Amino acid sequence: MVDTTPLTRAVDHFADRLRAAPQSRLQRGAAAEALQLARELACRAQVLEDPGTEPRLMPDAGMFAAADQITVAVHDLALVLKDEGQLEQAVELVAQAQQRAGV
């Protein structure tokens, strides 16, 4: 079993920063970046959980839901990660997304 604590901590930090961000920052791209991350994490979780099935696209629930969407997506992914390599990739995706989001 993989210890996903670093991944959940990274996403929790990103989500907290999004929740604290002003609406103007969310509108300038931080929310869109978070949605893109949530979609990528959800896609990875679906592929690991049910290989060969076409992943479903996470819907856009609006800029104020972006923090919740990344949190849900990462917890789904954490349940199905199989090795440290997958964990490291996911942590790096989160770090890159947070940097691009500017929060």
Side-chain angles (χ1 to χ4, degrees), residues 11-63:
V11 166
D12 288 346
H13 180 260
F14 187 12
D16 288 345
R17 300 289 300 187
L18 287 167
R19 289 182 187 107
Q23 182 174 347
S24 60
R25 180 162 313 240
L26 295 174
Q27 290 172 324
R28 286 193 309 263
E33 191 62 49
L35 175 61
Q36 184 62 32
L37 174 64
R39 286 177 169 169
E40 178 62 27
L41 296 173
C43 180
R44 286 174 183 238
Q46 291 174 56
V47 166
L48 289 171
E49 189 171 38
D50 197 8
T53 301
E54 184 70 26
R56 296 166 308 283
L57 182 65
M58 181 177 278
D60 183 346
M63 72 177 139

